[in-house]
Amino acid sequence: MTPGEIIYIDIIGTGNVATHLFRAFKRVGNNVDVSLVNPHTFEGKRFKTDFTIIAVKDDAITEVANRLTDYDCGIIAHTSGSTSLQVFESQINHFGVFYPLQTFSKDVKLDYSEIPFFIEASDKPSELALLKLASLISDKTMLADSDQRRALHVAAVFACNFTNHLIGLSNEILGAYSLPLESLKPLITETVRKAFFSLNPYMCQTGPAVRGDETTMNAHLKLLDIFPEMKDVYNILSNSIKHKHVSN
Amino acid sequence: MTPGEIIYIDIIGTGNVATHLFRAFKRVGNNVDVSLVNPHTFEGKRFKTDFTIIAVKDDAITEVANRLTDYDCGIIAHTSGSTSLQVFESQINHFGVFYPLQTFSKDVKLDYSEIPFFIEASDKPSELALLKLASLISDKTMLADSDQRRALHVAAVFACNFTNHLIGLSNEILGAYSLPLESLKPLITETVRKAFFSLNPYMCQTGPAVRGDETTMNAHLKLLDIFPEMKDVYNILSNSIKHKHVSN
């Protein structure tokens, strides 16, 4: 990647990650030549590239990699948070992981410069090359081995998948009382802002559990009589909050 | 509240809610005359006002209200999500609830126009007066009876208190693997945006639980061996996600 040199990138996939990466690299400029490749027909695949990024479902990565042996692929990398680097070990020389930690929707424009990219590679030169590649579209590139990537994935399940579900539960409660979910938006936006602004989110915990306010918690559980399945969630999370604040 | 008339408001309290409401009303302009009142000494209390807002801890509301009998307070309202309207019933003629659904920090500036205010009152004229009062600082004013306010409070516990705790748990997991919490910020910001943008947050649920991906969930539970207390949280929330998506 010397100045003036063109970087050839093939991105294999039809989903949101492939589409977004393709768009992001398209915007870099004339020094990048990117092609979006159909994972079934390989339409769009070039015979010689610097990078081949496999952005398909986790369980299809190996199958796609196996069909790349006739191509001069450069460094081959997958984009999966929960697939190890070793998936490529048997058949490829230079390989890696090119993992953007974000949830992608087809029609939503994102600020790619803010998206963290986590890189792992088979060897130091490939590691450096993938870091440089990521830095073309993001200001937040870092190394992460497979254990760290798994930890990121688990942390994302807690902070994102579970949070989405909790907003879903809130929506049900509000709906039963003819209240719009929209009412909670400023509060949750400010809650998330505070949690990230603080050094430790536990420091800005609010609500009845951290205060040990059993009267309010019992009133809440009574209201949840019409949502019995939510009571377990309420109790486990309240206990977890109490536990952290007693032990901290 | 006819044009040209000055509205006199006393806000009793020293905490974040009192301070923020005081600041917000200060900014309205010359037609509002607002005073911040010390709840212990009553310093700042005027003898005749249009509104007296009690913004103190839930268990101090009654005691403050009892000491207001010598004043011409106008409409007396508390700002508590979990205190019923009836707290004032025995000693006051015109009373209500003036509940802003937001978490306030002393040094953080907020856009008050976006904060929803929920109003309840002893009588229709007081209800109308409190709605008008709230509309001086917010574009989102609505009525909510005590049951609705309790539902809002429970929904806020799920969507905000519990979310903050989940971000705290994520922070612990990331810390154990030398990763910064900051990595998750773009992902959680986009998750919350999507949840509110969708008609139903369940529709945009992602992650292993909704996919029924037991392999990934088992790998996550294995990583959580070093945080045994988080396993219960992981299991209960994953089961709750599975339950909602089977039954929907």
Side-chain angles (χ1 to χ4, degrees):
Chain A
M1 293 195 240
T2 50
E5 207 179 332
I6 292 174
I7 306 160
Y8 292 89
I9 311 164
D10 277 1
I11 297 170
I12 306 180
T14 51
N16 292 334
V17 177
T19 312
H20 274 271
L21 285 179
F22 175 71
R23 276 190 215 150
F25 281 117
K26 262 284 188 216
R27 270 198 245 152
V28 173
N30 290 335
N31 58 327
V32 167
D33 184 328
V34 59
S35 174
L36 191 60
V37 179
N38 183 299
H40 310 292
T41 62
F42 269 24
E43 194 187 325
K45 185 83 196 80
R46 277 91 58 97
F47 279 99
K48 182 168 165 51
T49 56
D50 301 301
F51 297 95
T52 301
I53 297 176
I54 305 179
V56 300
K57 285 202 161 105
D58 291 5
D59 54 14
I61 295 171
T62 314
E63 189 265 330
V64 168
N66 287 340
R67 287 159 50 216
L68 287 172
T69 43
D70 292 343
Y71 299 85
D72 184 354
C73 285
I75 299 165
I76 298 182
H78 71 66
T79 58
S80 163
S82 49
T83 305
S84 94
L85 178 66
Q86 278 68 40
V87 70
F88 295 130
E89 209 161 43
S90 57
Q91 79 273 42
I92 300 164
N93 282 328
H94 300 288
F95 53 90
V97 180
F98 191 80
Y99 174 47
L101 187 59
Q102 182 52 289
T103 175
F104 298 96
S105 314
K106 215 130 210 169
D107 299 325
V108 176
K109 281 185 187 165
L110 293 168
D111 178 4
Y112 296 101
S113 68
E114 288 296 313
I115 298 174
F117 278 76
F118 295 92
I119 303 299
E120 186 180 10
S122 54
D123 53 284
K124 277 282 161 196
S126 302
E127 189 179 284
L128 197 63
L130 285 169
L131 278 173
K132 277 191 177 170
L133 183 71
S135 71
L136 292 176
I137 52 177
S138 166
D139 298 333
K140 315 235 159 135
T141 63
M142 52 200 121
L143 295 175
D145 63 26
S146 293
D147 284 346
Q148 286 179 307
R149 218 166 49 246
R150 191 175 303 110
L152 278 168
H153 202 236
V154 178
V157 167
F158 276 90
C160 301
N161 296 163
F162 290 167
T163 291
N164 181 75
H165 184 62
L166 289 173
I167 300 174
L169 297 177
S170 296
N171 182 46
E172 274 200 71
I173 297 167
L174 294 173
Y177 287 84
S178 311
L179 292 160
L181 176 60
E182 199 66 19
S183 322
L184 285 178
K185 198 176 175 181
L187 181 57
I188 191 166
T189 304
E190 176 64 7
T191 300
V192 170
R193 193 199 62 73
K194 270 166 105 166
F196 279 98
F197 185 76
S198 73
L199 286 177
N200 181 346
Y202 293 149
M203 307 270 288
C204 46
Q205 186 64 52
T206 57
V210 70
R211 292 196 310 269
D213 180 349
E214 301 288 338
T215 311
T216 298
M217 285 192 278
N218 287 332
H220 288 177
L221 288 167
K222 191 155 176 288
L223 181 138
L224 292 176
D225 275 342
I226 53 167
F227 304 105
E229 79 283 5
M230 293 192 203
K231 283 190 177 186
D232 288 344
V233 173
Y234 189 93
N235 282 324
I236 283 278
L237 283 166
S238 296
N239 286 337
S240 181
I241 290 171
K242 285 188 240 175
H243 173 80
K244 286 298 166 196
H245 289 270
V246 169
S247 60
N248 278 359
Chain B
M1 292 197 239
T2 50
E5 208 178 330
I6 291 174
I7 306 161
Y8 291 89
I9 311 165
D10 278 0
I11 297 171
I12 305 179
T14 51
N16 292 335
V17 176
T19 311
H20 274 272
L21 285 179
F22 175 70
R23 277 189 213 149
F25 280 117
K26 261 288 189 215
R27 269 199 245 152
V28 173
N30 290 334
N31 58 326
V32 167
D33 183 330
V34 60
S35 174
L36 192 60
V37 178
N38 184 298
H40 309 292
T41 62
F42 269 23
E43 194 187 328
K45 184 84 194 82
R46 277 91 56 97
F47 279 98
K48 182 169 163 51
T49 56
D50 299 302
F51 296 96
T52 300
I53 297 176
I54 305 178
V56 298
K57 286 203 161 105
D58 290 8
D59 53 15
I61 295 171
T62 314
E63 189 265 329
V64 168
N66 286 340
R67 286 159 50 217
L68 287 172
T69 42
D70 291 343
Y71 299 84
D72 184 354
C73 285
I75 298 166
I76 298 181
H78 72 65
T79 58
S80 162
S82 50
T83 304
S84 95
L85 178 66
Q86 277 69 42
V87 70
F88 294 131
E89 209 162 42
S90 58
Q91 79 273 42
I92 300 164
N93 282 328
H94 299 288
F95 53 91
V97 180
F98 191 81
Y99 174 46
L101 188 58
Q102 181 54 287
T103 175
F104 297 97
S105 314
K106 214 129 208 170
D107 299 325
V108 176
K109 281 186 188 166
L110 293 166
D111 179 3
Y112 297 100
S113 68
E114 288 295 315
I115 298 174
F117 278 76
F118 294 92
I119 303 299
E120 187 180 10
S122 54
D123 54 283
K124 276 282 159 195
S126 301
E127 189 178 284
L128 196 63
L130 286 169
L131 278 172
K132 276 190 179 172
L133 183 71
S135 72
L136 292 176
I137 52 179
S138 166
D139 297 334
K140 315 236 159 132
T141 62
M142 52 200 121
L143 295 176
D145 63 26
S146 293
D147 284 347
Q148 286 180 307
R149 216 165 49 247
R150 190 176 303 112
L152 278 168
H153 201 236
V154 177
V157 167
F158 277 89
C160 301
N161 297 162
F162 290 167
T163 290
N164 180 75
H165 183 64
L166 290 172
I167 300 174
L169 297 176
S170 296
N171 182 48
E172 274 200 69
I173 297 167
L174 294 173
Y177 287 84
S178 310
L179 291 161
L181 177 61
E182 199 67 19
S183 323
L184 285 178
K185 198 176 173 181
L187 181 56
I188 191 167
T189 304
E190 176 63 8
T191 301
V192 169
R193 193 200 62 74
K194 270 166 104 167
F196 279 98
F197 185 75
S198 73
L199 286 176
N200 181 346
Y202 293 149
M203 308 272 287
C204 46
Q205 186 65 50
T206 57
V210 68
R211 293 196 308 269
D213 180 349
E214 301 289 338
T215 312
T216 299
M217 284 191 279
N218 287 332
H220 288 178
L221 287 168
K222 191 154 176 291
L223 181 139
L224 293 177
D225 275 342
I226 52 168
F227 304 104
E229 79 284 5
M230 294 193 203
K231 284 191 176 183
D232 289 342
V233 174
Y234 189 93
N235 282 325
I236 284 278
L237 282 167
S238 296
N239 286 338
S240 181
I241 291 172
K242 286 188 238 172
H243 173 80
K244 285 299 167 195
H245 290 269
V246 169
S247 61
N248 278 358

